[in-house]
Amino acid sequence: MTLLLLALMSCERPECARPAYHRAECRVQAENVLARVQTSEGVEIRFQEAKATSAESWSTTGLLRNQQDAPVFARVATLGDFRLSVETEEATTLRLTLDNVDPRIPALEGELESSGLRRELELELEPGVNWIVGELPEAVCSGSFRLAAAGDIQTNPLQFRQIIDALHTEASDSEAEGEPLLGLVLLGDISEFSQPEELTQVLDILASSPVPVAVIPGNHDVYASLDAVFNRMVGPGNLSFDVCSARVVLFDTGSGSLAPSIEGRLPELLKSEQPHLLAGMHHPPMPGNTSGGWSDELSAATLLAEFSQAGGELLLAAHVHERLEMLDGPVPQVVVGTLGADQVEVDPDYGYLRVSVREQVSWCFVPVSAAGSPGASRPPPVDCVERSAR
Amino acid sequence: MLPLLLCLSAQAHESEPGLKPYVVPPTEAAQLRKRLRWAGIAGMASAGLWYFAAGDSLGAGDPATLLAGAGLVATTGALIGGSYAVLDPREPAMGWEASGPPLRLTLSPGGSTTIGENVPYGGSLELAPRFILGPELQLIAQGTLRGDFGDRVDVDPRPQSDFAPALSRWGWGADVNPELRWYREGMDFRLRPTLLTRYTATTFADGSTRQLERQAWMPLTLGVRFYVSGRQRFGLYLGPRWDSLRWSDGGQWQEREVDFGPIYGQAFYSINRPHMRLPGGLVGASRLRISYEHSNFDGQAFDFGAVVGFFGPVTAQYDMQLRRPGWDNGVQVGLGVSGTKGGQVNLSIGWNTQPFGAVH
């Protein structure tokens, strides 16, 4: 019996054939499986890179799922442009709900209705490959732009709701200043216990965001072993995309390191023709004395080396429930775990980081105090720190 | 926690190589064990309070995590010591014991059950000759050379990738950590300046390569070890750490970046088992050592649930030294298990001898 058990344990099997979604590598598989879907009519829908011309493969730029008695649901995971391929053997009609779409993107083919970040489509499909293409108007990307970034909501989604409300002001002010806000990068720990109800609450809040939101997981979002709950409900945790003149590469470090396959693809993911390169993750690769570093320091060092080598300008992270700037490492790193997670303090330091992408990349912390709070205990920097582009 | 630990030293004794053996009355050992247990509980409780009530969440940082790890080791040690006292109450004098051997070879088994992947066997050669510099002063000239016996290979699990190899990696490294020990009544103090170096050669999915050199400098690591009884010890190390990183794609190396790193710390508890007679006329003396090391330099973090990246490795090591009666030398075999995400196991064999300068 013991020998039989030992023999079974030593049997070779494909990676993640026995699912364990607390492992980063199995989440890589899950997010790729969930970036394509086949309908009961045999229509194959796939998320693609924004500039893809072939539908042979697919990419983790979104989440797709069939819904009972409702259109197919597609959540765009990136900011700005996006693309889906829709392949069918026979002419047919497809109803699709597209979520997390920038409101500035002009009406899509087959669009029935548009509300906030959501579009309802009814597509008349021709046999072969059909494309759904969303592109920001050229005028939006003609100059500088802004992104907002922060992480760590955990047990305080209502504070996060206030921060989303504040983003409406940021969006209108930035538009007026000719530097449009193009999205929020949510740097993980959007839940405390990896529970679907917690994620639903945050997704409901995201529905009121004025701009699309790119979300990656933190350690609190991905420790359920048998359910890839984050990937199933929110989308991919590893993604790279271009938004106007910046390449943004986001990593799932919820397990304290990169998945080995993502580490192996770093040169590919970081390669870009864009003049700016930014990266976001939950765990800071340079933790200082916070005790909030990576489980595997080799993985962090590999990322730092590759990001620096690729000309990366700014690393964004969270995990530590405060804001820290570490500018002396191989690349500048800013930690903003300020979306509502407990900071113990009477006067917590909540808010988001405004990243301005001009000829140079610069950043400022924008405080959004808790209701009834006398104000952030640490004043925001008066001036943004200016960093040079590559 | 420190005042409680200092109490431990009140009736401590030693039986290290080159030092006099001795016996502790069991009642005194029980009292000291109790103090260790309460010190451990106080450490863990203080760390918890620091994290969740008195600090700024993760702003409590390395000191609180170290306190939690040391408290865990102290509490576990007291429990193990108590169990031993019940199951095996002998507390004999020991002329020699299982301890760090001057020469040791270690093997970490590899292998993978994932198709297309490979986890290589790893090994290390450790030299740690002990020099007696005076009646209370010893130097252990420690150094370790370690490496992988092959490439670690990871596949790309994406369905669209056909599970092709995504990452291939080979690494080796060296540790230089000489330790000066000053033996006092009931405790010893240690200075262990340390330099860890790791070289890693990586081949990425697109065929490009990268060489990385990582170093951790810990020149001011200080340690103290308390004697809970003649065969039980509890110790702590603490020191600042500086990290450096540089890389190359096969040509010129980048300039080295040096940054202030996480605080380094270690806590350990060890218990020696009395001599036992073995077949073939051999005598065996064994030691169980549990430790917590606050460092993820070698990627062996102790993660559980949402607690990811905070704790370094928690390790249990069992060593047995074998000698023939009257011999000054012995062979020491060991089995180590790290309670890490990978559950690392290692096997070791070492050679023990008298310290240089010992009176025979």
Side-chain angles (χ1 to χ4, degrees):
Chain A
M1 188 64 182
T2 310
L3 282 175
L4 182 65
L5 274 174
L6 282 172
L8 281 173
M9 283 168 67
S10 62
C11 279
E12 278 202 326
R13 58 175 70 86
E15 178 72 293
C16 300
R18 180 188 287 168
Y21 297 110
H22 63 283
R23 289 183 54 219
E25 202 68 286
C26 292
R27 294 197 298 278
V28 170
Q29 190 174 77
E31 68 196 15
N32 278 277
V33 167
L34 294 164
R36 61 164 285 280
V37 77
Q38 195 166 39
T39 68
S40 57
E41 290 85 24
V43 177
E44 170 101 6
I45 312 167
R46 296 175 166 190
F47 266 102
Q48 303 286 356
E49 298 283 347
K51 302 239 177 334
T53 52
S54 162
E56 278 184 23
S57 187
W58 69 94
S59 170
T60 55
T61 50
L63 165 71
L64 279 157
R65 69 169 168 262
N66 282 308
Q67 304 184 109
Q68 279 197 333
D69 305 323
V72 173
F73 177 81
R75 185 179 189 279
V76 178
T78 58
L79 310 177
D81 302 350
F82 66 89
R83 187 169 290 218
L84 291 98
S85 62
V86 185
E87 193 166 1
T88 178
E89 288 184 2
E90 296 173 7
T92 185
T93 303
L94 175 74
R95 289 201 60 199
L96 189 73
T97 299
L98 263 175
D99 193 24
N100 202 39
V101 177
D102 194 307
R104 285 160 287 213
I105 288 177
L108 302 168
E109 194 181 326
E111 189 169 307
L112 299 175
E113 194 185 333
S114 162
S115 168
L117 302 177
R118 189 164 279 208
R119 311 281 175 105
E120 298 291 341
L121 310 183
E122 187 171 283
L123 297 161
E124 298 299 332
L125 301 176
E126 300 291 326
V129 178
N130 303 259
W131 294 93
I132 302 170
V133 179
E135 288 178 343
L136 285 169
E138 275 185 26
V140 174
C141 288
S142 60
S144 56
F145 65 93
R146 291 179 191 173
L147 299 173
D152 293 294
I153 301 169
Q154 292 186 208
T155 53
N156 197 352
L158 291 185
Q159 177 60 37
F160 177 55
R161 194 168 139 164
Q162 290 186 58
I163 291 168
I164 289 292
D165 288 348
L167 280 185
H168 282 269
T169 310
E170 176 79 38
S172 55
D173 288 355
S174 65
E175 199 79 45
E177 291 167 27
E179 194 175 83
L181 178 69
L182 295 187
L184 167 65
V185 179
L186 191 37
L187 298 163
D189 275 3
I190 65 172
S191 69
E192 179 73 10
F193 299 113
S194 301
Q195 292 300 306
E197 310 84 66
E198 294 177 288
L199 299 182
T200 301
Q201 193 177 2
V202 170
L203 287 170
D204 287 347
I205 294 168
L206 291 184
S208 66
S209 171
V211 287
V213 185
V215 193
I216 54 173
N219 49 309
H220 281 273
D221 305 319
V222 292
Y223 68 90
S225 182
L226 297 177
D227 183 6
V229 61
F230 180 90
N231 304 111
R232 187 170 58 77
M233 294 184 66
V234 183
N238 298 288
L239 60 159
S240 63
F241 55 91
D242 292 341
V243 53
C244 294
S245 60
R247 176 73 153 183
V248 179
V249 189
L250 303 178
F251 298 105
D252 172 353
T253 61
S255 301
S257 64
L258 297 177
S261 67
I262 294 295
E263 225 174 295
R265 292 175 56 217
L266 277 174
E268 167 202 331
L269 294 168
L270 294 167
K271 193 174 173 184
S272 168
E273 301 299 316
Q274 300 297 345
H276 298 290
L277 177 60
L278 311 172
M281 63 216 71
H282 183 66
H283 283 70
M286 293 178 284
N289 286 327
T290 62
S291 196
W294 291 33
S295 303
D296 183 353
E297 291 183 18
L298 171 59
S299 185
T302 305
L303 172 67
L304 288 173
E306 292 311 308
F307 186 64
S308 178
Q309 194 68 25
E313 289 161 280
L314 178 61
L315 281 175
L316 299 164
H319 191 51
V320 182
H321 302 171
E322 55 184 303
R323 54 190 159 98
L324 302 166
E325 285 189 351
M326 295 171 186
L327 307 179
D328 297 329
V331 284
Q333 171 190 275
V334 180
V335 175
V336 263
T338 53
L339 287 182
D342 193 7
Q343 297 182 8
V344 183
E345 293 183 357
V346 175
D347 196 7
D349 193 20
Y350 295 140
Y352 62 89
L353 194 76
R354 175 198 296 146
V355 179
S356 298
V357 182
R358 304 172 185 135
E359 281 189 17
Q360 298 173 322
V361 172
S362 63
W363 58 85
C364 283
F365 184 77
V366 181
V368 181
S369 298
S373 170
S377 54
R378 282 157 291 191
V382 176
D383 298 310
C384 291
V385 178
E386 297 288 338
R387 305 300 304 179
S388 300
R390 277 184 277 173
Chain B
M1 187 175 179
L2 193 59
L4 277 167
L5 285 173
L6 287 171
C7 295
L8 293 173
S9 67
Q11 296 165 50
H13 314 266
E14 70 266 355
S15 56
E16 281 277 287
L19 297 167
K20 281 190 259 179
Y22 101 127
V23 179
V24 181
T27 48
E28 290 177 19
Q31 194 60 33
L32 290 167
R33 243 188 346 260
K34 196 181 287 181
R35 288 179 192 165
L36 181 66
R37 187 183 67 211
W38 283 113
I41 290 170
M44 287 191 289
S46 308
L49 276 172
W50 197 348
Y51 263 120
F52 299 115
D56 186 10
S57 191
L58 296 185
D62 287 326
T65 313
L66 252 167
L67 199 55
L72 177 72
V73 170
T75 310
T76 311
L79 287 172
I80 292 171
S83 307
Y84 254 84
V86 172
L87 299 171
D88 184 7
R90 291 174 297 157
E91 191 82 28
M94 291 189 288
W96 54 273
E97 62 182 28
S99 60
L103 175 67
R104 177 156 56 187
L105 286 166
T106 301
L107 182 72
S108 304
S112 171
T113 55
T114 302
I115 293 173
E117 297 203 340
N118 183 52
V119 176
Y121 278 60
S124 67
L125 168 65
E126 185 182 348
L127 288 172
R130 191 184 286 243
F131 298 89
I132 295 177
L133 306 178
E136 296 178 336
L137 203 60
Q138 293 191 2
L139 172 70
I140 304 176
Q142 296 180 111
T144 306
L145 203 59
R146 58 183 78 241
D148 299 332
F149 302 137
D151 285 351
R152 181 189 175 98
V153 179
D154 288 280
V155 298
D156 187 341
R158 296 178 300 158
Q160 64 270 44
S161 79
D162 291 332
F163 290 70
L167 183 74
S168 176
R169 176 172 272 170
W170 178 76
W172 68 278
D175 308 348
V176 180
N177 46 358
E179 183 166 293
L180 193 63
R181 292 184 182 177
W182 180 37
Y183 291 91
R184 305 297 300 153
E185 183 64 29
M187 66 172 76
D188 58 75
F189 298 96
R190 297 155 177 220
L191 170 65
R192 190 175 71 187
T194 301
L195 169 61
L196 310 178
T197 305
R198 301 288 181 270
Y199 289 96
T200 313
T202 303
T203 304
F204 296 103
D206 64 0
S208 61
T209 59
R210 176 79 60 220
Q211 277 90 52
L212 274 185
E213 180 204 81
R214 297 183 299 132
Q215 288 186 321
W217 301 74
M218 295 166 277
L220 303 172
T221 304
L222 297 172
V224 60
R225 186 178 66 166
F226 305 91
Y227 292 64
V228 184
S229 77
R231 58 177 184 157
Q232 296 177 58
R233 294 109 203 231
F234 178 78
L236 293 165
Y237 289 93
L238 193 66
R241 174 179 147 182
W242 285 267
D243 290 337
S244 87
L245 173 66
R246 62 177 189 151
W247 60 87
S248 144
D249 54 7
Q252 191 84 9
W253 284 82
Q254 293 281 323
E255 199 170 322
R256 183 178 275 123
E257 297 274 355
V258 182
D259 294 303
F260 194 55
I263 294 171
Y264 176 81
Q266 191 185 6
F268 66 88
Y269 166 86
S270 66
I271 182 165
N272 287 71
R273 195 163 181 274
H275 292 188
M276 56 182 168
R277 298 214 168 274
L278 297 167
L282 291 172
V283 177
S286 60
R287 178 181 70 170
L288 175 66
R289 187 178 193 271
I290 55 168
S291 66
Y292 167 69
E293 189 174 25
H294 190 66
S295 166
N296 286 329
F297 191 66
D298 285 318
Q300 294 296 331
F302 181 46
D303 295 340
F304 50 95
V307 179
V308 172
F310 297 93
F311 291 99
V314 177
T315 305
Q317 173 81 27
Y318 187 77
D319 291 300
M320 177 174 280
Q321 193 184 146
L322 304 166
R323 288 191 186 188
R324 286 192 181 279
W327 280 21
D328 279 347
N329 300 301
V331 172
Q332 186 163 308
V333 291
L335 170 67
V337 181
S338 287
T340 64
K341 54 186 175 179
Q344 186 92 16
V345 174
N346 66 68
L347 305 163
S348 61
I349 184 161
W351 172 62
N352 278 62
T353 187
Q354 291 292 308
F356 291 98
V359 179
H360 291 263

